[in-house]
Amino acid sequence: MSAPCSPKDQIGGIIYLPRLCDKIRLFEKGELPEDYHANLGHGMDRWTCEFLGVNYEDLAAEVRKGATDDEILEWCQDNGKSRPDYEYEWWVSYMTNRGFRDDLSERLAERKQEAGWADRNDIQSFMDYLDADEGRGTY
């Protein structure tokens, strides 16, 4: 089993999109850990698709056809919502900081507690948590 790439990875200024695609590919190969299955198409996957203005199942179908991340980005640009550059900057900030002093802060604290990391002040967001949980970064 393999963990997907970092949630902080970007392509074309779109944070998380490479991870979304990676999760679909790993799932199709039977290599995505079972813990991840319930969230396919939900949470950050759904938020990313909503930001891009595409349907998750349609995007997943393109990934399953063998599209690369670059091809998926192009597909999203052709089939999704057009946005000004500043919204992409907001998107990166929004996704990078989910769980930091927002409506998901309590859930992040619960996840840290469950992992035995309640005292880990270096984990400030869900992206930090995912990277730490998957053994990436300086965590």
Side-chain angles (χ1 to χ4, degrees), residues 9 12 15 17 20 25-26 30 35 38 42 48-49 55-56 62 68 70 84 92 95 106 113-114 120:
D9 287 355
I15 197 164
L17 183 59
L20 191 162
R25 290 184 191 107
L26 290 170
D35 296 2
H42 303 285
T48 301
C49 288
N55 176 279
Y56 173 82
E62 293 299 314
T68 66
D70 287 320
V92 170
M95 288 292 281
E106 188 174 310
Q113 180 72 32
E114 292 165 3
R120 296 277 307 267

Short mmCIF file of all heavy atoms in Angstrom, two decimals, residues 9 12 15 17 20 25-26 30 35 38 42 48-49 55-56 62 68 70 84 92 95 106 113-114 120:
data_model
loop_
_atom_site.label_atom_id
_atom_site.label_comp_id
_atom_site.label_asym_id
_atom_site.label_seq_id
_atom_site.Cartn_x
_atom_site.Cartn_y
_atom_site.Cartn_z
N ASP A 9 1.41 19.48 -2.78
CA ASP A 9 1.89 19.48 -4.16
C ASP A 9 0.92 20.26 -5.04
O ASP A 9 -0.30 20.23 -4.81
CB ASP A 9 2.03 18.06 -4.69
CG ASP A 9 3.23 17.32 -4.10
OD1 ASP A 9 4.02 17.94 -3.35
OD2 ASP A 9 3.36 16.12 -4.38
N GLY A 12 0.18 23.80 -11.97
CA GLY A 12 -0.47 24.96 -12.56
C GLY A 12 -1.11 25.89 -11.54
O GLY A 12 -2.12 26.51 -11.82
N ILE A 15 -3.19 23.76 -5.86
CA ILE A 15 -2.74 22.92 -4.76
C ILE A 15 -3.70 21.74 -4.61
O ILE A 15 -4.89 21.87 -4.92
CB ILE A 15 -2.63 23.75 -3.45
CG1 ILE A 15 -1.78 23.00 -2.43
CG2 ILE A 15 -4.01 24.11 -2.90
CD1 ILE A 15 -1.32 23.88 -1.28
N LEU A 17 -4.39 19.16 -6.33
CA LEU A 17 -4.83 18.42 -7.51
C LEU A 17 -3.96 17.19 -7.79
O LEU A 17 -4.51 16.12 -8.09
CB LEU A 17 -4.91 19.33 -8.74
CG LEU A 17 -5.44 18.68 -10.02
CD1 LEU A 17 -6.86 18.13 -9.82
CD2 LEU A 17 -5.43 19.68 -11.17
N LEU A 20 -5.15 14.47 -5.43
CA LEU A 20 -6.46 13.95 -5.83
C LEU A 20 -6.28 12.90 -6.93
O LEU A 20 -6.83 11.80 -6.85
CB LEU A 20 -7.32 15.13 -6.29
CG LEU A 20 -8.81 14.90 -6.52
CD1 LEU A 20 -9.52 16.24 -6.53
CD2 LEU A 20 -9.12 14.14 -7.75
N ARG A 25 -5.53 7.03 -8.86
CA ARG A 25 -4.66 6.05 -9.51
C ARG A 25 -4.30 4.91 -8.55
O ARG A 25 -4.34 3.73 -8.93
CB ARG A 25 -3.38 6.72 -10.00
CG ARG A 25 -3.60 7.63 -11.18
CD ARG A 25 -2.27 8.20 -11.69
NE ARG A 25 -2.55 9.25 -12.64
CZ ARG A 25 -2.40 10.55 -12.40
NH1 ARG A 25 -1.93 10.98 -11.24
NH2 ARG A 25 -2.70 11.44 -13.33
N LEU A 26 -3.94 5.25 -7.32
CA LEU A 26 -3.60 4.22 -6.34
C LEU A 26 -4.80 3.33 -6.03
O LEU A 26 -4.65 2.11 -5.89
CB LEU A 26 -3.07 4.88 -5.05
CG LEU A 26 -1.69 5.55 -5.16
CD1 LEU A 26 -1.40 6.36 -3.91
CD2 LEU A 26 -0.60 4.51 -5.40
N GLY A 30 -5.35 -0.79 -6.61
CA GLY A 30 -5.48 -1.55 -5.37
C GLY A 30 -4.37 -1.25 -4.37
O GLY A 30 -4.11 -2.04 -3.47
N ASP A 35 -7.93 3.04 4.64
CA ASP A 35 -8.33 4.21 5.43
C ASP A 35 -8.73 5.40 4.55
O ASP A 35 -9.46 6.27 4.99
CB ASP A 35 -7.19 4.68 6.34
CG ASP A 35 -6.80 3.68 7.39
OD1 ASP A 35 -7.38 2.58 7.43
OD2 ASP A 35 -5.89 3.99 8.18
N ALA A 38 -12.98 5.79 2.05
CA ALA A 38 -14.24 6.48 2.39
C ALA A 38 -14.22 7.95 1.99
O ALA A 38 -15.28 8.53 1.75
CB ALA A 38 -14.53 6.34 3.88
N HIS A 42 -14.65 13.17 -1.45
CA HIS A 42 -15.19 13.98 -0.35
C HIS A 42 -14.09 14.88 0.21
O HIS A 42 -12.94 14.79 -0.20
CB HIS A 42 -15.75 13.08 0.75
CG HIS A 42 -16.80 12.15 0.28
ND1 HIS A 42 -18.09 12.55 -0.01
CD2 HIS A 42 -16.75 10.83 -0.01
CE1 HIS A 42 -18.79 11.53 -0.44
NE2 HIS A 42 -18.00 10.45 -0.45
N THR A 48 -11.72 20.69 -4.01
CA THR A 48 -10.88 20.98 -5.17
C THR A 48 -11.72 20.96 -6.45
O THR A 48 -11.61 21.85 -7.29
CB THR A 48 -9.70 19.99 -5.25
OG1 THR A 48 -8.93 20.10 -4.04
CG2 THR A 48 -8.82 20.28 -6.45
N CYS A 49 -12.55 19.94 -6.57
CA CYS A 49 -13.42 19.86 -7.75
C CYS A 49 -14.39 21.03 -7.81
O CYS A 49 -14.62 21.60 -8.88
CB CYS A 49 -14.18 18.52 -7.76
SG CYS A 49 -13.11 17.12 -8.14
N ASN A 55 -16.97 18.01 -12.02
CA ASN A 55 -17.56 16.93 -11.26
C ASN A 55 -16.48 15.91 -10.91
O ASN A 55 -15.69 15.52 -11.79
CB ASN A 55 -18.67 16.29 -12.11
CG ASN A 55 -19.29 15.09 -11.44
OD1 ASN A 55 -18.74 14.00 -11.50
ND2 ASN A 55 -20.41 15.31 -10.81
N TYR A 56 -16.45 15.46 -9.67
CA TYR A 56 -15.43 14.50 -9.23
C TYR A 56 -15.45 13.24 -10.08
O TYR A 56 -14.39 12.76 -10.51
CB TYR A 56 -15.60 14.14 -7.76
CG TYR A 56 -14.68 13.03 -7.33
CD1 TYR A 56 -13.35 13.29 -7.00
CD2 TYR A 56 -15.11 11.70 -7.30
CE1 TYR A 56 -12.48 12.27 -6.64
CE2 TYR A 56 -14.26 10.67 -6.94
CZ TYR A 56 -12.94 10.96 -6.61
OH TYR A 56 -12.09 9.94 -6.26
N GLU A 62 -11.46 10.58 -16.20
CA GLU A 62 -10.33 11.00 -17.03
C GLU A 62 -9.03 10.43 -16.48
O GLU A 62 -8.17 9.99 -17.25
CB GLU A 62 -10.26 12.53 -17.11
CG GLU A 62 -11.42 13.17 -17.85
CD GLU A 62 -11.51 12.72 -19.29
OE1 GLU A 62 -10.47 12.69 -19.99
OE2 GLU A 62 -12.63 12.39 -19.74
N THR A 68 -2.37 12.13 -17.55
CA THR A 68 -1.33 12.61 -16.64
C THR A 68 -1.89 13.79 -15.84
O THR A 68 -2.96 14.34 -16.18
CB THR A 68 -0.10 13.09 -17.42
OG1 THR A 68 -0.48 14.24 -18.20
CG2 THR A 68 0.46 11.98 -18.31
N ASP A 70 -0.74 16.79 -15.89
CA ASP A 70 -0.81 17.93 -16.82
C ASP A 70 -2.07 17.84 -17.69
O ASP A 70 -2.73 18.85 -17.94
CB ASP A 70 0.43 17.97 -17.72
CG ASP A 70 1.67 18.42 -16.99
OD1 ASP A 70 1.58 19.34 -16.15
OD2 ASP A 70 2.75 17.85 -17.26
N PRO A 84 -9.99 34.22 -12.12
CA PRO A 84 -8.85 35.15 -12.20
C PRO A 84 -7.69 34.63 -11.34
O PRO A 84 -7.89 33.85 -10.41
CB PRO A 84 -9.42 36.46 -11.65
CG PRO A 84 -10.59 36.07 -10.83
CD PRO A 84 -11.13 34.80 -11.41
N VAL A 92 -4.93 28.52 -2.73
CA VAL A 92 -3.75 27.94 -2.09
C VAL A 92 -3.75 28.27 -0.60
O VAL A 92 -3.53 27.41 0.24
CB VAL A 92 -2.45 28.41 -2.78
CG1 VAL A 92 -1.22 28.01 -1.97
CG2 VAL A 92 -2.36 27.84 -4.20
N MET A 95 -6.67 26.27 1.24
CA MET A 95 -6.41 24.85 1.41
C MET A 95 -5.22 24.61 2.35
O MET A 95 -5.26 23.69 3.17
CB MET A 95 -6.15 24.19 0.06
CG MET A 95 -7.39 24.05 -0.78
SD MET A 95 -8.59 22.87 -0.10
CE MET A 95 -7.83 21.33 -0.61
N GLU A 106 -11.36 22.30 15.62
CA GLU A 106 -11.70 21.29 16.63
C GLU A 106 -11.44 19.88 16.10
O GLU A 106 -10.89 19.03 16.80
CB GLU A 106 -13.16 21.44 17.05
CG GLU A 106 -13.54 20.57 18.23
CD GLU A 106 -14.95 20.85 18.72
OE1 GLU A 106 -15.28 22.03 18.95
OE2 GLU A 106 -15.71 19.88 18.86
N GLN A 113 -4.99 14.50 18.70
CA GLN A 113 -5.13 13.75 19.96
C GLN A 113 -5.15 12.26 19.69
O GLN A 113 -4.46 11.49 20.35
CB GLN A 113 -6.42 14.19 20.68
CG GLN A 113 -6.67 13.50 22.00
CD GLN A 113 -5.74 13.97 23.10
OE1 GLN A 113 -5.33 15.13 23.11
NE2 GLN A 113 -5.37 13.09 24.00
N GLU A 114 -5.93 11.83 18.70
CA GLU A 114 -6.02 10.41 18.34
C GLU A 114 -4.66 9.85 17.93
O GLU A 114 -4.36 8.68 18.19
CB GLU A 114 -7.02 10.21 17.19
CG GLU A 114 -8.46 10.47 17.56
CD GLU A 114 -9.38 10.61 16.35
OE1 GLU A 114 -8.92 10.45 15.20
OE2 GLU A 114 -10.57 10.89 16.57
N ARG A 120 1.91 18.63 19.52
CA ARG A 120 2.67 18.96 18.31
C ARG A 120 2.21 20.30 17.75
O ARG A 120 1.30 20.38 16.93
CB ARG A 120 2.49 17.87 17.25
CG ARG A 120 3.02 16.49 17.61
CD ARG A 120 4.50 16.35 17.36
NE ARG A 120 4.91 16.70 16.02
CZ ARG A 120 5.02 15.84 15.01
NH1 ARG A 120 4.74 14.57 15.18
NH2 ARG A 120 5.42 16.27 13.83
#
